[in-house]
Every structure is written in C-alpha cells, then in structure tokens.
Amino acid sequence: MIELIHVTKRFGETTAVDDISLRVERGELCVLVGTSGCGKSTTLRMINRLIEHSDGEIHIDGQQIREFREESLRRRMGYAIQSTGLFPHWTVERNIGLVPRLLKWPQARIRERVEELMAMLGLPMGEFAGKYPRQLSGGQAQRVGVARALAADPDILLMDEPFGALDPITRETLQEELRDLQSRLQKTIVFVTHDMDEALRLADRLVVMDQGRIKQQGHPLELLREPADDFVESLLGGEDRGLKEAALLSVSERMLPLSPRLLPRERVSQHASLREALSIMLWRHAERLAVVDDEDMPVGELSLRKLVGAKAHD
Amino acid sequence: MSVGGIKAIVSRDASRPNVVLVSLLLATLAGWLGLDAVSVAPNRIVPGQGHAAWDVAGLPGLAISLLPMLAVLWLAWRPSRERLRLALALVVVMLAALPAWLALAAARLVDADLPQARMGVGAGAWVALFLLLLAMIELRTRLSLSRPLGWSLLLAPLVSLVAWLTFGLEPLALRQEFQGRSAGFIAAIGEHLLLVGAAVGISLVLGVCLALTMRRWERVRTLGFAVLNFLQTIPSLALFGLLLAPLAWLSAHVGWLAALGVSGIGWAPALLALVGYSLLPMVRNTYVALDEVDPGVIDAARGMGMSRAQVFRQVRLPLALPVILEGVRITTVQAIGLTAVAALIGAGGLGTFIFQGLGQAAMDLVLLGALPILVMALVADALLGALTDLLRPGGAT
C-alpha cells in the first residue's frame, strides 16, 4: 500500500508537484496520466526517493519512506523505465539478477529466480540468458526490464512510461502481458504514461494530473462518465469518449440470453469489448451479432440497440 | 551465422576484383620499377648514388622479384577465400624476402675494399615495404583473421630482418650508424620508454583525479579546461625554455630536489612538460567518458537500489573505460613523439640521434632515431587499441 499525504515538491522557485494526496491499495494498478511536465514522473520518483519530496508525507505499508535507508527502500520496489536502463556491459541473465545480488541472495537461488522470470516473460533461457542488451529488440529489452524490476519479488512496482518507445503492436502485446501478470501476481503498481489508451486499458485507478496537481482520480469508467472539468474531458478524448468507454466494457455485460429466434451469422466472442463488437457491426453491416464462448458455442446475442442502450448495468 | 555471412560476402565478391589490393599492388610495382631500390655511397659524407631494381640483380633477378607481385595481382583479380589466403602467404613471403634482397644489393653494389662504403635503403624499397604492409592489413580484414593471428603474420618478416641485420647487411648505413652506438641506442630506448611511461602514468593518475573533481565542481571544470587548453597551445620547445629558470632556481634552493637530480635541464623539465601536454587529452577523455554514460542506465542503477559507490564501480566506470583508454592511447602516442623533442634539453631518449643526425647532415642517423619512435608509436597504438576493443561493453563487437 502506498499513501501520499499532501505531498509537495519544489525545485527552487517552481513547484513541480503541488499538495497531492493519493492512496494506492495493495494489488491495485494506479496509472498517473497527464501532459508532459505535469509532475507525474516527479511523483513516481518521489516514491522511491530518487527525488526527495519537499513537504508532506509518503508512506509505504504505513511506514514513512524517510525512515528507510534509500538503498533498502529502492530494493523493495521494482523500477522499470522507458529507456529500459539495461546495463549494456552485462548479459541479460546478470541484468535480471541485479537486485537479488544486491540483496545477497545465494547464487543458486538467484539463478533459479532468473530462470523462472525469463520463462514467465517468454524469454527462453537458452536463447537469451547470454545475450547482451544491444542484441535484443525493443520489446525483448523491455521484457528484460520488467523481469529485472520483478526479480526480488517486490510488493511495489514503479513503472515510468515503460512501453513509451515501442511500436504500437509490441506495446499492445506488452500491455496485455502486464495485465495478465498483474492478475496473477497482484502487485501494487504505479504506472506513469501520457498515452490515454494505455492508461484506460491498464488502470484500476486512473489519476489525471495537470500542473503539479491531481485533477481527478478514480476508476477509468467513473472518469469517462463524469469528468470533473473540461481539461479531464479533453484529455480523455472529448467526443471519442464513447468509443473509449466501449473499449472498457465487455460484450457479456450487454448481451441478451439465447432466444428462440434464429441466430445471426456474424459472431463475436463474449470476452470482446463493446468497441470490437461495434466495429464488427459496422464492418459487416449487421445489427445483430451472435455471442460465442471460447469453444465457439453460442451463448447469447447482442443487438445494436442493446449495445448503445441505456447504462442499465451500473 | 556470422561465419556463414562472411563466407557469403567473400564468395559473392569472388566475381569482382578486390580494388584495394589491385591498386596497392599496382602502386608497389610502379614504385619497385620506377624508384631507386638502394643508394650507395663510398663514405658518410658524400651523397649516395641511386640504383634501380635491375641494377641489384640484373634483368633475370628483377623478373623473379616481379613474379610474386604479379601473382598477387592475378589472385586479387578474382578473389575467393582460398585465393586470398594464397595472396596473403605471398605478401608475407615478399616482406620476409625484402631484407634478403637488400643483402643481395649490398653484396653486389657496395665496394668491399672501401671500409667506409655504405648503402641506404632507397625510396623504392620503402614504398614496397609500406604498401605490402597495407596489403597485409587489407587481406587480414578480408579474411577476418583474429588480431593475434594478424600480428603473428609479422613474425616471419621480423625474424628475417633480424637475421639479415645480424649476418649479412654490414654495409647498411642504418646498421653502421647503430654499430658505433649500440650501447647508447639501447640506453636511449630505455630512457625514451621511461619518460613516456612516467609521463603517461602520472598524467593518468592526475587526469582521473582532476576529471572526478571537475565532475563535482562546475568552477573547477571551467578553470581547469581553460588552463589545460592554454598549456596545449604553448609550443613544446618554448615550454621547455619556460621551465628552465624556475626549475634551476628550485634545484639551487631546495636541497632534496637537487639530490633527486632535478635541474633546469635534463629529465625533470622534460617530464613536467610532457605531463602538462598529456593532461588535456587525458582529462578531456576521462571527463567526457564518465559524463556521457547513458543517464537512463544510471537512473535505473540508482532506482534499483545500488549505492553511489556501486553505481560508480559497477556501472559508470566500466562503461566509461573504453573511452578513458582511448585517451590513454592518444596521450601515449603523442608523448612518444614529444619525448623526441625533449632530447634538446638533455633529457636523452631517441631524439638524441635525430638531433645529432640533423647536426651532422647524416640522414641515416636521423632514421636510427626516428624509426624506433615510429615503431613504438604503432605498437602502443595497436596494443591499447586492442585493449579498448576487449573492454567494450557487451564483449567483442
């Protein structure tokens, strides 16, 4: 659990972060989003004391971060950044084993842990362990960066635009994998990005920042439906908000049970988002879709009326 | 994978001539035929009489000497891996045969009755030597031979050179100049190496300390670079002159300095000046090397919980090391050359022969000083370059 209480950061005359309060629960993925220079990275870096806060208090698991030694505080938190920060003179294996080595784990345990992580992130040990960072593609390097951040099994993960430099397809794959990892590992994650789609896709709690202040925070759907002001609304996509919301809702939320009527030919998975369903309707010129499960068996149907219908379920 | 790739390149190129090798060999041929192979003089004073290659061995001999060159030319026209290997062997043989050729010239052209008669190496032979060495480097690269293997190829020519110098090349002017000065020559090499070693060693230690201080304090940095840049602009002779008075005064007034051998002339001002010149490249490279380590890497290192000392020792320093060594390489090569000038203020070293030779208008004596300096600089350059490659991040490139 991470808690920021009235935290302020001043650099000389300028105030980078202005009196923000934020609580990230255990197992929650909190995304800080905003334009560049809004103080989101500064906020992240204050949590592991790469930047010392000027005023207020920051707690992790109820303890003030200033009570920890800087190094031991950071070793308890995973840290992944946009440039990956992989050490170019170390192999992938050595890079991933960095924090466990700092924590003086026994050799055998480090090796075992590295092997486990590489398997988890789809980097076969035999192929990648001995490679150097410059021999990796952008996506592979970022996977190694995430593996390194997870190495000592920290409760907290700090990620500063980790997927910002990747091509859209690789980025989406890695976002998917992060969501997947998070559902299994239940870390407390603070994730900084300026990409609103990424923020909406990942966040349990979305925090919109502007000029050092928190404009609004809450579940992504809350922000989409009731933006606090024009800034939040435009950041969330203005007129595009409908599609962004549809992307967060799944077909199973709006589908109707099977009826005696003839099922339409066009089909959509029950796990797909409403946005995907809408896209299929547009593409196929169909007003009704059959909803199918993983075995491709029909489980219901979705009509355009129902899709765009009243927000009956919340 | 990479071996296959290289093979593919070589075989794809097999249809096309290796332009570099062909032009090198054509130039060698032109130099060999068009320039004097050797020059012969009855004594040290009179200028030598040039002799072309056919004077040395007659037309049949010349024809034989041309054969391997033409052969390499033909091999380079349609290069395959096997042909390039053969060409490399031929080039090595030619390099090894060059001293023998000079011995033959000495036997045929130098009048044995004149004890002072001497033979100088002519432009043709020098040109052949340097172009064949270049051809060797080109072949080494084409065949992607490892560095140690490349160096060991020089072994045969070197052994041949030493053997012929010892047993068959008495009239060679260079050797005659050496003959009277063998003890002095060895001592001069020692002095030269000692001065260079001391200057580079001291400036490395000082340079690293200075660079570290400069990284911490902005003021020291601007001031330090200003002073070092200024030092670099003083001509070396002037710097030696400027140091003369203060050092002479110091040695007269400070007893232990005089006891150490410090005085206005000799090794002390030379060493001081050399260190002064060496500091700028050393400090600049060290500073830039440490400063230009990717900030993202340093940020990650700190964010992972490495202490300042760990970040410096395990990340910043190893990543900066190749660039720092680059500075050591530049400094060393520069100091090897500058030390020659130090002979003017009585610091000894190989420069002694150069200035003696200049004074006596004896070019071979100048060569006796200059050639070892050249070799030293090349060897230092190659060794430190190899070390830099070895330490590059992520292993060999």
Side-chain angles (χ1 to χ4, degrees):
Chain A
M1 198 259 289
I2 305 171
E3 196 170 15
L4 282 73
I5 307 165
H6 297 295
V7 172
T8 295
K9 174 65 195 177
R10 282 179 292 269
F11 293 106
E13 294 290 291
T14 55
T15 305
V17 173
D18 192 3
D19 189 31
I20 65 169
S21 295
L22 172 68
R23 198 181 148 99
V24 187
E25 300 296 340
R26 175 175 288 275
E28 201 174 29
L29 201 165
C30 168
V31 178
L32 306 181
V33 70
T35 49
S36 37
C38 71
K40 54 191 194 296
S41 276
T42 308
T43 305
L44 181 94
R45 292 159 66 85
M46 283 193 292
I47 297 173
N48 66 0
R49 290 182 63 190
L50 282 173
I51 296 176
E52 294 285 352
H53 54 282
S54 313
D55 275 320
E57 285 177 17
I58 301 177
H59 298 260
I60 62 167
D61 296 330
Q63 206 174 351
Q64 274 230 47
I65 58 168
R66 286 206 171 130
E67 289 170 20
F68 295 92
R69 221 164 54 87
E70 265 177 67
E71 284 87 29
S72 37
L73 177 79
R74 292 180 193 143
R75 286 170 198 173
R76 296 177 46 147
M77 303 179 180
Y79 184 53
I81 56 178
Q82 178 173 355
S83 64
T84 73
L86 294 182
F87 299 167
H89 58 310
W90 286 7
T91 60
V92 166
E93 183 178 1
R94 197 158 170 216
N95 263 295
I96 296 178
L98 170 64
V99 182
R101 214 164 328 108
L102 290 175
L103 292 170
K104 303 209 164 55
W105 287 16
Q107 277 301 320
R109 188 170 160 216
I110 296 178
R111 208 185 146 73
E112 202 176 297
R113 176 66 179 156
V114 170
E115 217 170 322
E116 183 189 345
L117 281 164
M118 289 184 69
M120 198 195 291
L121 285 151
L123 300 160
M125 189 83 177
E127 189 181 341
F128 287 99
K131 282 199 173 172
Y132 286 93
R134 67 177 161 73
Q135 296 167 303
L136 304 176
S137 71
Q140 289 164 351
Q142 204 48 263
R143 280 199 179 91
V144 175
V146 172
R148 183 171 71 167
L150 288 170
D153 203 13
D155 294 330
I156 295 172
L157 213 53
L158 305 178
M159 310 183 91
D160 194 350
E161 301 202 32
F163 310 142
L166 302 175
D167 65 86
I169 293 172
T170 313
R171 186 185 318 176
E172 221 164 294
T173 317
L174 280 177
Q175 286 163 356
E176 203 78 21
E177 285 178 22
L178 179 66
R179 274 254 61 128
D180 201 48
L181 272 177
Q182 172 64 355
S183 66
R184 278 184 287 155
L185 303 178
Q186 291 292 307
K187 303 286 181 195
T188 307
I189 302 179
V190 180
F191 189 108
V192 163
T193 182
H194 63 255
D195 175 350
M196 187 47 82
D197 287 315
E198 180 169 80
L200 289 170
R201 197 169 294 144
L202 293 175
D204 297 319
R205 170 188 296 274
L206 187 60
V207 179
V208 176
M209 289 186 68
D210 184 39
Q211 294 172 2
R213 290 169 172 276
I214 292 180
K215 283 277 172 186
Q216 194 178 3
Q217 57 174 308
H219 190 273
L221 282 176
E222 268 173 60
L223 268 69
L224 277 169
R225 287 168 189 168
E226 282 152 42
D229 57 20
D230 293 347
F231 175 79
V232 177
E233 188 178 328
S234 77
L235 198 69
L236 284 167
E239 299 294 324
D240 259 357
R241 278 185 296 147
L243 285 174
K244 291 198 196 298
E245 182 188 344
L248 294 181
L249 299 172
S250 93
V251 165
S252 52
E253 287 182 59
R254 293 272 171 96
M255 72 179 184
L256 290 170
L258 286 172
S259 68
R261 282 207 298 167
L262 196 62
L263 267 177
R265 249 185 326 141
E266 318 301 341
R267 45 188 53 189
V268 62
S269 157
Q270 61 177 345
H271 304 299
S273 69
L274 288 183
R275 183 185 167 130
E276 287 167 284
L278 181 62
S279 174
I280 295 172
M281 288 178 179
L282 285 168
W283 188 247
R284 301 282 184 184
H285 307 294
E287 284 187 21
R288 286 170 64 232
L289 296 177
V291 179
V292 295
D293 64 9
D294 295 335
E295 269 84 54
D296 217 21
M297 291 302 292
V299 289
E301 64 168 274
L302 181 70
S303 66
L304 183 59
R305 268 181 66 118
K306 193 68 197 158
L307 192 153
V308 302
K311 295 165 189 170
H313 292 265
D314 41 66
Chain B
M1 174 72 203
S2 64
V3 172
I6 287 161
K7 272 199 180 130
I9 290 168
V10 171
S11 55
R12 199 188 60 216
D13 276 1
S15 52
R16 263 179 282 152
N18 179 326
V19 184
V20 180
L21 214 51
V22 167
S23 7
L24 279 175
L25 261 294
L26 284 177
T28 313
L29 269 174
W32 191 249
L33 293 173
L35 297 168
D36 287 342
V38 294
S39 71
V40 176
N43 55 50
R44 197 173 176 211
I45 316 295
V46 286
Q49 164 85 47
H51 290 279
W54 54 80
D55 291 341
V56 174
L59 279 180
L62 180 67
I64 291 172
S65 76
L66 290 180
L67 273 180
M69 295 187 205
L70 292 171
V72 175
L73 204 53
W74 177 72
L75 289 170
W77 199 255
R78 318 232 19 210
S80 66
R81 212 174 157 75
E82 285 67 37
R83 284 169 182 230
L84 287 181
R85 280 220 188 97
L86 192 56
L88 183 58
L90 281 172
V91 169
V92 171
V93 166
M94 277 191 274
L95 280 169
L98 208 54
W101 173 265
L102 289 176
L104 178 67
R108 288 180 57 120
L109 298 172
V110 178
D111 190 342
D113 296 334
L114 294 173
Q116 290 295 313
R118 54 189 55 215
M119 183 186 80
V121 179
W126 283 124
V127 165
L129 173 65
F130 285 118
L131 292 179
L132 287 177
L133 281 174
L134 286 180
M136 209 176 100
I137 293 171
E138 162 70 11
L139 282 165
R140 196 199 72 121
T141 322
R142 277 296 138 198
L143 290 168
S144 52
L145 301 182
S146 69
R147 220 178 255 273
L149 192 59
W151 281 102
S152 65
L153 285 174
L154 276 176
L155 218 61
L158 275 179
V159 168
S160 150
L161 179 67
V162 171
W164 283 104
L165 274 178
T166 326
F167 302 114
L169 276 169
E170 281 92 359
L172 193 68
L174 210 55
R175 185 167 180 248
Q176 290 198 342
E177 297 291 352
F178 170 74
Q179 204 80 59
R181 299 178 178 79
S182 56
F185 182 76
I186 304 294
I189 287 191
E191 287 162 5
H192 208 99
L193 285 175
L194 199 64
L195 265 177
V196 169
V200 172
I202 293 174
S203 59
L204 177 63
V205 174
L206 274 181
V208 170
C209 294
L210 252 175
L212 289 178
T213 325
M214 285 175 172
R215 276 180 49 75
R216 184 145 296 186
W217 290 291
E218 180 92 7
R219 288 273 285 283
V220 181
R221 193 181 76 209
T222 35
L223 188 74
F225 275 128
V227 170
L228 290 175
N229 275 317
F230 171 70
L231 266 184
Q232 203 78 2
T233 60
I234 309 176
S236 48
L237 259 177
L239 190 56
F240 290 134
L242 284 174
L243 287 170
L244 203 134
L247 280 176
W249 186 86
L250 271 180
S251 81
H253 290 82
V254 184
W256 61 270
L257 277 180
L260 258 177
V262 172
S263 67
I265 58 167
W267 62 267
L271 187 58
L272 260 178
L274 284 175
V275 170
Y277 282 120
S278 304
L279 267 179
L280 181 67
M282 204 70 101
V283 172
R284 192 162 43 198
N285 269 63
T286 310
Y287 180 86
V288 169
L290 290 172
D291 210 51
E292 286 194 343
V293 174
D294 179 2
V297 171
I298 300 295
D299 182 53
R302 293 190 52 215
M304 293 280 147
M306 290 177 108
S307 67
R308 277 182 189 282
Q310 283 170 328
V311 172
F312 187 81
R313 275 203 320 272
Q314 297 186 33
V315 184
R316 199 185 280 281
L317 192 60
L319 288 177
L321 212 51
V323 186
I324 296 178
L325 270 177
E326 191 69 18
V328 175
R329 190 174 67 88
I330 296 169
T331 310
T332 309
V333 172
Q334 176 189 288
I336 288 173
L338 267 178
T339 304
V341 184
L344 275 182
I345 53 161
L350 288 161
T352 321
F353 299 129
I354 298 181
F355 291 113
Q356 272 179 20
L358 285 174
Q360 301 167 8
M363 285 332 280
D364 293 304
L365 187 51
V366 174
L367 274 184
L368 185 68
L371 280 181
I373 291 179
L374 185 76
V375 172
M376 260 186 223
L378 286 175
V379 170
D381 190 70
L383 282 182
L384 287 166
L387 192 60
T388 310
D389 280 354
L390 212 67
L391 290 172
R392 230 168 253 298
T397 41

